[in-house]
Amino acid sequence: MQNIIVALDAMGGDFGPQVTVPAALRSLLLFPELKVILTGDQTAITSKLSLLVGCGTYPRLSIKHSDKVISDSEKPSLALRHGSESSMAMAVDLVANDFANACISAGNTGALVAISRFKLKLLPGLEQPALISTLPTALGNKTWMLDLGANVSSSPDSIFQFALMGSILAEQHLGRLPRVALLNIGSEKIKGNHLVKHAAKMLYQNKLVNFIGYIEGNQLLYDAADVIVCDGFLGNICLKVCEGTAQLFMDKLKLTLVGSSLRTWIAKKIFSGLFAELQTLNPDQYNGASLLGLNGVVIKSHGGANVLAIVNAITEAVYEVRQKVSTHITDRLKSVLCERHY
Amino acid sequence: MQNIIVALDAMGGDFGPQVTVPAALRSLLLFPELKVILTGDQTAITSKLSLLVGCGTYPRLSIKHSDKVISDSEKPSLALRHGSESSMAMAVDLVANDFANACISAGNTGALVAISRFKLKLLPGLEQPALISTLPTALGNKTWMLDLGANVSSSPDSIFQFALMGSILAEQHLGRLPRVALLNIGSEKIKGNHLVKHAAKMLYQNKLVNFIGYIEGNQLLYDAADVIVCDGFLGNICLKVCEGTAQLFMDKLKLTLVGSSLRTWIAKKIFSGLFAELQTLNPDQYNGASLLGLNGVVIKSHGGANVLAIVNAITEAVYEVRQKVSTHITDRLKSVLCERHY
């Protein structure tokens, strides 16, 4: 079995080593072929490690010290200029220099995108990278959605390239040509702004992507498409709207399970399965969005991720390295974009 | 008691007279001061009326015949040019010519906006009208959100004006200066695209609006602001994402209430109150978005509205006429925009 080396920015996100260190340990127990390099403050990481598994060295876990952390409020351009010694940049560097197969950070999205673009470079012909992740659906399937916020604005050309990248990635999972749709305010052809109309025109004329047209916001979780494409500003906000609404419903439902009355006891007995099913419908449960379009695997985790969510992000990284997702997309994209089929 | 005359486009929406006629009858029973003018196909309307309450004339209900219906796929520009005899345009005309105090349509949104702008005219100083409606919140309050799709793109100036209109409307309901927020991909000042950054700058410099900054998509239903402002493309899609997610949870929950087993009986006993509460959290339950910024009251209903939803839209129209919402906004806006406080 070939080793998979993941560089994990231990300082990123709201909780830093408090969640990244136990998540790394848990992942090492889950994947025997995994090695983790934690980048960040050595003292904080070692202290958390000691607390959890005692002092000493561990063969599959190493630390690369950095005393600089990029804050969430730091501008991407400044992070790029002054953040080369940060825990985040170090994690990306390890991939760029082939010391790791993938890197993960729960830190500042803009900074991660800027640093990754700079260090790993965009694939030839691409305009922008895109963050992609899956949404759960009513029928228990998955729908891939991109861009979830790698960029705040995009051109029709970029939207077309997102559709292409999303289609290639989903095809690897599904084993068939995925149905690709553009998110819009209506399903009729006359609807939408300049960006979606122009991108739709390119997608309709193209034979590489199975473009099924526009879908509306209320179809997001209803298996209407395998890949949903939109610009990063819209995608990021829509995903969060989805998560917020799901969270509100779960919060209200959980209230019926609080307490020690007979009513609560019966509710717990009978509806635990239902609650578990509903829980899986919250996109927030799925952590780890891939930054597609670069020469290397970069996974962005939620800022507020807990231990389990970071483990999910590491699992996604392991999957992508195992399946050579990045290489596959790179090869397909290279041939497509160089031949300029569209 | 002063009469309130509402012109209702009987042909708009997915179901036409099948829902608009019974909704008109139900509203007449609810509001003694209400008169309804139904615009649309006389035969279809009369036939539905006969079926429901028998042949004859009714003192507070009249019909204005039109045999033209604007379809959902018609371009707004074409609807404006060729649709002057349509049921929708007739309803707006009745307001423009002071034969009605408000009009309602469940038809093509783009066409309704174009026709309303043309016939009722924008208030002086305004760049665009905006669709506004309320969202339910976790604490049982309301949050106003605009623009929900009157426009597919807007300038920072327009966004600022939406904030101002939304603030004036919400203040009338709340009796205090509302907290106004811009929807964005993050709460930090550095986040966002050109549009929100520019609009935020104008709002921070202004003293007429209590601007509290950016909010993210997951805070939509969590009482984070009284008024949430965004462009119409984003607003329309976010509202539908919210509705779709809420619907999915309700669908799954309802499955536990189907059947006649003991489990179902217990579920009904335990969850009936909860279901009712959750149902109120679906924004889809609230029908009737106001088109703000025009010389007259125009209410847009969902295309898929049922009888109860159309009644809700009529109720909103009655409320706005009673409270002179339009006049109040007009007066405040006129003074503000003419004085150019910003």
Side-chain angles (χ1 to χ4, degrees), chain B residues 3 7 15 36 56 68 71 93 117 185 192 200 242 244 248 304 339-340:
Chain B
N3 279 335
F15 310 109
V36 175
K68 185 162 168 38
S71 78
D93 253 339
R117 277 185 77 149
I185 50 169
C242 224
L248 179 59
E339 288 175 24
R340 296 209 167 276

Side-chain angles (χ1 to χ4, degrees), chain A residues 73-74 138 152 184-185 190 216-218 222 233 240-242 245 247-248 251-253 263 270-271 277, chain B residues 73-74 138 152 184-185 190 216-218 222 233 240-241 245 247-248 251-252 263 267 270-271 274 277:
Chain A
S73 56
E74 193 147 331
V152 289
N184 196 3
I185 52 169
I190 56 150
E216 298 188 57
N218 53 356
Y222 278 94
F233 189 75
K240 285 179 185 158
V241 168
C242 224
T245 311
Q247 193 55 52
L248 179 59
D251 288 349
K252 295 278 179 188
L253 278 167
R263 189 176 174 283
I270 297 185
F271 299 109
E277 190 198 343
Chain B
S73 57
E74 194 148 328
V152 290
N184 197 4
I185 50 169
I190 56 150
E216 298 189 58
N218 52 357
Y222 277 94
F233 188 76
K240 285 177 184 159
V241 168
T245 311
Q247 193 56 50
L248 179 59
D251 288 351
K252 295 278 178 190
R263 191 175 177 285
I270 291 181
F271 291 123
L274 176 72
E277 191 198 341

Side-chain angles (χ1 to χ4, degrees), chain B residues 3-328:
Chain B
N3 279 335
I4 292 175
I5 308 171
V6 168
L8 174 60
D9 169 11
M11 315 308 284
D14 301 346
F15 310 109
Q18 291 302 318
V19 301
T20 51
V21 174
L25 293 173
R26 194 160 166 162
S27 305
L28 289 171
L29 294 171
L30 287 172
F31 304 106
E33 76 272 42
L34 179 66
K35 289 187 175 186
V36 175
I37 307 172
L38 291 165
T39 61
D41 184 72
Q42 182 136 24
T43 315
I45 296 170
T46 314
S47 143
K48 184 69 189 171
L49 261 178
S50 304
L51 209 68
L52 293 169
V53 286
C55 300
T57 57
Y58 297 89
R60 295 192 285 134
L61 188 71
S62 57
I63 301 168
K64 204 165 153 52
H65 176 72
S66 157
D67 48 19
K68 185 162 168 38
V69 180
I70 293 171
S71 78
D72 279 348
S73 57
E74 194 148 328
K75 270 193 174 180
S77 54
L78 288 178
L80 188 60
R81 212 175 305 152
H82 304 301
S84 61
E85 296 303 311
S86 65
S87 58
M88 182 192 282
M90 274 187 180
V92 180
D93 253 339
L94 288 166
V95 178
N97 297 318
D98 284 332
F99 292 118
N101 306 106
C103 65
I104 299 167
S105 178
N108 182 324
T109 307
L112 183 63
V113 173
I115 291 170
S116 301
R117 277 185 77 149
F118 180 72
K119 290 185 185 288
L120 298 174
K121 307 297 178 208
L122 275 171
L123 297 177
L126 273 193
E127 280 195 6
Q128 291 177 320
L131 274 169
I132 188 167
S133 191
T134 53
L135 300 175
T137 73
L139 299 177
N141 299 318
K142 281 180 186 175
T143 293
W144 282 262
M145 187 166 170
L146 78 167
D147 172 25
L148 296 174
N151 317 280
V152 290
S153 65
S154 293
S155 68
D157 274 303
S158 265
I159 298 286
F160 174 82
Q161 295 179 346
F162 297 166
L164 195 56
M165 288 198 286
S167 178
I168 295 171
L169 180 72
E171 189 176 356
Q172 275 206 284
H173 285 262
L174 299 171
R176 59 171 169 81
L177 201 59
R179 297 162 301 152
V180 177
L182 273 179
L183 188 58
N184 197 4
I185 50 169
S187 53
E188 300 87 1
K189 276 198 177 180
I190 56 150
K191 294 286 176 76
N193 57 17
H194 170 76
L195 181 66
V196 292
K197 281 183 180 172
H198 200 116
K201 202 173 162 191
M202 294 174 74
L203 283 163
Y204 272 121
Q205 286 169 351
N206 186 272
K207 287 186 177 66
L208 295 163
V209 172
N210 175 21
F211 182 57
I212 59 167
Y214 298 134
I215 66 164
E216 298 189 58
N218 52 357
Q219 298 172 289
L220 225 58
L221 306 179
Y222 277 94
D223 301 86
D226 301 306
V227 180
I228 298 173
V229 185
C230 59
D231 72 88
F233 188 76
L234 178 63
N236 182 283
I237 293 176
C238 281
L239 181 68
K240 285 177 184 159
V241 168
C242 224
E243 289 171 0
T245 311
Q247 193 56 50
L248 179 59
F249 273 79
M250 291 308 292
D251 288 351
K252 295 278 178 190
L253 280 168
K254 275 179 190 159
L255 285 179
T256 61
L257 296 185
V258 175
S260 56
S261 66
L262 177 65
R263 191 175 177 285
T264 311
W265 184 83
I266 295 172
K268 279 183 186 159
K269 286 281 166 200
I270 291 181
F271 291 123
S272 58
L274 176 72
F275 281 118
E277 191 198 341
L278 290 178
Q279 195 65 38
T280 65
L281 288 176
N282 185 350
D284 193 29
Q285 300 305 304
Y286 304 83
N287 192 33
S290 293
L291 188 59
L292 289 188
L294 300 167
N295 294 296
V297 177
V298 180
I299 307 283
K300 169 70 178 81
S301 155
H302 278 288
N306 60 15
V307 175
L308 203 63
I310 299 278
V311 172
N312 285 344
I314 297 174
T315 306
E316 178 63 31
V318 170
Y319 172 83
E320 292 201 12
V321 176
R322 261 191 202 155
Q323 302 294 320
K324 299 191 170 69
V325 168
S326 178
T327 316
H328 191 77

Side-chain angles (χ1 to χ4, degrees), chain A residues 176-319:
Chain A
R176 59 172 169 79
L177 201 58
R179 299 161 301 153
V180 177
L182 272 180
L183 188 57
N184 196 3
I185 52 169
S187 53
E188 301 88 2
K189 276 197 178 181
I190 56 150
K191 295 285 177 74
N193 57 17
H194 170 76
L195 181 66
V196 291
K197 282 181 179 173
H198 200 117
K201 202 174 161 189
M202 295 174 75
L203 284 163
Y204 272 120
Q205 286 169 351
N206 187 273
K207 286 184 178 68
L208 296 164
V209 172
N210 175 21
F211 182 57
I212 59 167
Y214 297 135
I215 67 162
E216 298 188 57
N218 53 356
Q219 297 172 289
L220 226 57
L221 307 180
Y222 278 94
D223 301 87
D226 301 307
V227 180
I228 298 174
V229 185
C230 59
D231 72 86
F233 189 75
L234 178 63
N236 181 283
I237 294 177
C238 281
L239 181 68
K240 285 179 185 158
V241 168
C242 224
E243 289 171 359
T245 311
Q247 193 55 52
L248 179 59
F249 274 77
M250 290 310 293
D251 288 349
K252 295 278 179 188
L253 278 167
K254 276 179 190 160
L255 285 180
T256 61
L257 295 186
V258 173
S260 56
S261 67
L262 178 66
R263 189 176 174 283
T264 311
W265 185 82
I266 295 172
K268 275 183 190 160
K269 284 283 165 200
I270 297 185
F271 299 109
S272 58
L274 173 73
F275 285 115
E277 190 198 343
L278 289 178
Q279 194 65 39
T280 65
L281 289 175
N282 185 351
D284 192 30
Q285 300 306 304
Y286 304 84
N287 192 33
S290 291
L291 188 58
L292 289 187
L294 299 167
N295 293 298
V297 178
V298 179
I299 307 284
K300 168 70 180 82
S301 155
H302 280 287
N306 59 17
V307 175
L308 202 62
I310 299 278
V311 172
N312 285 344
I314 297 173
T315 306
E316 178 63 30
V318 169
Y319 172 84

